[in-house]
Amino acid sequence: MISNTADVPLLAGGYIDLGTVKSLHTAANRRTKIFCTLGPACWEVSQLETLIEAGMNVARFNFSHGDHEGHKACLDRLRTAAANMNQNVAVLLDTKGPEIRTGFFSGGAKKIELTKGEELILTADYDFKGDNKKLACSYPKLASSVNPGQSILVADGSLVLTVVSCDESTGEVVTRIENNASIGERKNMNLPGVEVDLPTLTEKDVDDIINWGIKNDIDLIAASFVRKASDVQYIRKILADNGGSGIKIISKIENQEGLQNYLDILQVTDGIMVARGDLGMEIPPEKVFLAQKYMIREANIAGKPVVTATQMLESMIVNPRPTRAECSDVANACYDGTDAVMLSGETANGQYFRQAVEIMARTCSEAESSVNFSELYQSVRNSVRKRFQLSTAESIASSSVKTAVDVGAKCIVVYSESGSTARHVAKFRPGMPVAVLTPSAQVARQCFGTLKGCYAYVVDSLEDTEKLNEEVMRECRVAGIAKAGDPVVIVCGTTYGRGATNQIKVQYCQDDPKQTYARSRMDDNNAEFNGCSIS
């Protein structure tokens, strides 16, 4: 979608008319992926089946809450539900990450009342039991990190403090209260503009990754508060050293330092999450949408999947319908180029979790219906070439999408061992579905969960491509994706086992009088192939 922020001076919305508004579009053809946070509202098997049916592609486990035993029980139920629904649902571990919190209160108090204009002292002595005059802070270097005049945001910004003075010898900071507020114990604190001296991975995070994530064969890690490229490299080393090198890293950009180092982070990460909650505490809220567009565009050019998160349908935690602004937020993220959108409390704690996923799926589909994919392909390709020379793999992927557009292919089939070829094809935003065939169940879950427009199928081997081609063409016919005479583009390699993709084929569906199938496994969008025969 070319807009008034693009290089080409065209007015946005050029492919939307009254017919677009009035026509009905099915969510079954949705390209944008949906991440759902699991929680008490939706973690029983039947409820998880409902989420999968509604459109969940990735299940997010939030390790800011719960323990290994509880998360494992939920994971077991998820995998039961996924098997029952014949779906490749990816599993995402979202790390707690480093955090700064207020302390506990004296006298057993649950809340304290703070009055605008009064002073509040923050102390680095976390054993101190506080009141409305003095509060403990979990960040030991607070007094040496902030300066007079800077703001400190507490409890998601519901309390704003202004630094008056700092005493490094006592570890205390005197602040002025800027608004009346009532807060509880252990509330989060943000220090906008401050480079916080805390590790990206805490001891808890490392334990969660090694003793839960790798142990339970998860697919994705959402690394909280990534601030520089070395943070990602450190996480990757932990994964490699402990048998988890196949797990993909999604870097959450949620502070000013991470935004400042974004391009360096993008080079080494597997994906990006635009974590707008904490980011909106770190930079002015009226700047968040600009940061979102910037990060999504750069991720699109780099060919890295990007997730847009936080408060997308927040009102549906308690209401059966979203606000119009929330639907617009989801749609605009799709127009920006996001690969996925995420639900947090809407599914974890909301009684309308099914409705939230369904309306998010429908909104994504409506947004996608007004995109000219042929022009989008050219825009992506031009933007990439303007920045750097295409690699061989990218050139083949680009050519496959161009070929599919030129011949009117009904789908693109990609044979991929690691998922890399699938990612390159998805980068160029084909308007037709992309079927990824891979021998790895983990790669299938990752592709289906994070790559826009991609579905994934597990095969025993990619070695006999000719036999696979025949099987794929038959499946396309039976699923109704293509009929006799329709072209399908196949992207594969002639050097199986070496990770090289070097061949593009255009194959045409033909009638097959010898075989009759009532139903295709492709109907499930990510069903399993067993070798070259359908089970």
Side-chain angles (χ1 to χ4, degrees):
M1 173 64 67
I2 295 178
S3 72
N4 49 9
T5 60
D7 291 337
V8 181
L10 294 179
L11 201 60
Y15 303 110
I16 302 173
D17 56 21
L18 185 59
T20 310
V21 177
K22 294 174 66 176
S23 60
L24 298 177
H25 300 97
T26 174
N29 298 323
R30 168 178 54 88
R31 293 173 171 84
T32 306
K33 306 302 182 176
I34 297 177
F35 286 40
C36 296
T37 304
L38 303 190
C42 67
W43 62 18
E44 297 302 330
V45 172
S46 61
Q47 295 168 324
L48 292 166
E49 289 174 352
T50 298
L51 279 182
I52 294 170
E53 185 177 27
M56 175 175 70
N57 302 108
V58 175
R60 172 182 177 245
F61 288 75
N62 185 1
F63 272 70
S64 291
H65 310 283
D67 55 25
H68 287 196
E69 184 180 1
H71 284 306
K72 178 59 166 64
C74 184
L75 177 62
D76 290 342
R77 293 192 294 269
L78 171 69
R79 286 178 168 162
T80 297
N84 292 345
M85 301 296 290
N86 193 33
Q87 294 284 313
N88 287 319
V89 179
V91 175
L92 172 100
L93 186 164
D94 197 328
T95 65
K96 185 177 182 180
E99 60 180 7
I100 303 174
R101 289 190 177 272
T102 60
F104 295 92
F105 301 148
S106 61
K110 297 299 181 184
K111 282 185 177 290
I112 57 171
E113 302 295 329
L114 300 171
T115 305
K116 179 181 178 179
E118 292 186 354
E119 285 192 345
L120 179 67
I121 299 173
L122 300 177
T123 175
D125 178 8
Y126 203 62
D127 292 329
F128 177 80
K129 299 297 188 290
D131 53 28
N132 61 356
K133 300 298 181 185
K134 188 174 181 178
L135 274 181
C137 169
S138 64
Y139 182 38
K141 298 183 179 180
L142 179 66
S144 60
S145 298
V146 298
N147 296 306
Q150 287 186 318
S151 295
I152 296 176
L153 306 180
V154 184
D156 295 326
S158 62
L159 171 62
V160 180
L161 306 173
T162 298
V163 177
V164 175
S165 63
C166 307
D167 188 339
E168 293 187 40
S169 62
T170 62
E172 293 187 350
V173 174
V174 178
T175 70
R176 182 176 63 252
I177 300 170
E178 299 295 347
N179 62 287
N180 295 329
S182 175
I183 66 167
E185 296 177 319
R186 299 199 73 249
K187 293 301 178 182
N188 65 306
M189 299 178 67
N190 292 89
L191 311 177
V194 174
E195 293 189 5
V196 178
D197 187 14
L198 288 173
T200 295
L201 283 188
T202 65
E203 290 183 9
K204 171 183 163 32
D205 295 330
V206 174
D207 179 60
D208 291 339
I209 290 171
I210 295 174
N211 294 316
W212 194 88
I214 296 173
K215 181 179 177 181
N216 290 305
D217 193 27
I218 68 163
D219 309 299
L220 308 161
I221 286 175
S224 296
F225 296 101
V226 171
R227 289 165 288 176
K228 47 192 180 296
S230 58
D231 295 339
V232 183
Q233 292 164 335
Y234 174 57
I235 296 170
R236 202 174 298 284
K237 184 176 187 303
I238 289 175
L239 291 174
D241 290 347
N242 292 276
S245 57
I247 298 172
K248 301 296 186 184
I249 301 169
I250 297 178
S251 298
K252 295 171 67 176
I253 307 300
E254 43 193 334
N255 56 32
Q256 198 160 343
E257 188 179 357
L259 191 59
Q260 187 68 37
N261 297 322
Y262 179 66
L263 295 181
D264 292 335
I265 294 169
L266 189 57
Q267 287 184 359
V268 297
T269 190
D270 298 309
I272 292 291
M273 182 179 290
V274 184
R276 304 179 303 178
D278 281 285
L279 188 61
M281 299 291 106
E282 294 282 332
I283 67 175
E286 65 272 19
K287 293 284 191 181
V288 172
F289 82 97
L290 293 173
Q292 173 179 316
K293 290 177 183 295
Y294 161 70
M295 285 190 278
I296 290 175
R297 184 177 189 275
E298 292 297 332
N300 288 169
I301 291 173
K304 303 289 180 76
V306 55
V307 187
T308 304
T310 317
Q311 296 177 328
M312 301 214 79
L313 299 177
E314 182 83 357
S315 70
M316 290 195 73
I317 295 176
V318 294
N319 296 321
R321 286 169 56 86
T323 66
R324 293 181 296 278
E326 287 170 336
C327 281
S328 294
D329 184 33
V330 173
N332 283 323
C334 294
Y335 284 142
D336 288 343
T338 195
D339 291 83
V341 286
M342 192 173 92
L343 295 168
S344 299
E346 302 95 329
T347 50
N349 303 310
Q351 59 179 311
Y352 303 107
F353 58 88
R354 176 180 61 81
Q355 291 92 328
V357 180
E358 287 176 342
I359 198 162
M360 178 167 269
R362 293 199 302 270
T363 303
C364 292
S365 297
E366 291 292 344
E368 294 160 1
S369 71
S370 59
V371 173
N372 183 314
F373 285 96
S374 297
E375 203 159 280
L376 179 60
Y377 157 75
Q378 196 63 52
S379 298
V380 172
R381 187 173 185 275
N382 289 346
S383 296
V384 173
R385 292 191 66 201
K386 188 176 181 180
R387 192 74 61 84
F388 46 74
Q389 189 71 34
L390 269 65
S391 67
T392 301
E394 285 177 315
S395 179
I396 290 172
S398 172
S399 297
S400 71
V401 176
K402 180 66 164 61
T403 301
V405 172
D406 289 346
V407 303
K410 297 302 180 182
C411 73
I412 299 174
V413 178
V414 179
Y415 299 162
S416 184
E417 294 177 73
S418 66
S420 179
T421 302
R423 179 172 61 82
H424 288 313
V425 172
K427 169 179 180 172
F428 291 97
R429 297 297 192 246
M432 62 291 297
V434 178
V436 182
L437 272 61
T438 176
S440 167
Q442 185 180 57
V443 170
R445 294 191 295 266
Q446 291 166 344
C447 290
F448 182 60
T450 64
L451 301 183
K452 195 162 189 168
C454 289
Y455 307 101
Y457 306 82
V458 180
V459 298
D460 284 343
S461 171
L462 297 178
E463 194 164 4
D464 191 347
T465 56
E466 289 302 318
K467 198 168 184 181
L468 273 176
N469 290 348
E470 293 176 9
E471 182 73 7
V472 166
M473 301 308 288
R474 184 170 68 247
E475 284 292 307
C476 286
R477 284 197 313 276
V478 178
I481 295 172
K483 60 182 184 296
D486 285 339
V488 171
V489 171
I490 298 175
V491 186
C492 59
T494 57
T495 52
Y496 173 74
R498 301 181 196 172
T501 299
N502 57 11
Q503 190 177 83
I504 303 170
K505 297 180 66 176
V506 179
Q507 198 147 326
Y508 291 83
C509 285
Q510 297 178 357
D511 286 322
D512 186 0
K514 298 179 182 179
Q515 301 279 2
T516 302
Y517 295 89
R519 179 176 177 270
S520 165
R521 294 296 294 273
M522 278 191 174
D523 291 344
D524 296 321
N525 290 337
N526 67 329
E528 257 188 46
F529 277 69
N530 288 325
C532 293
S533 60
I534 305 303
S535 60

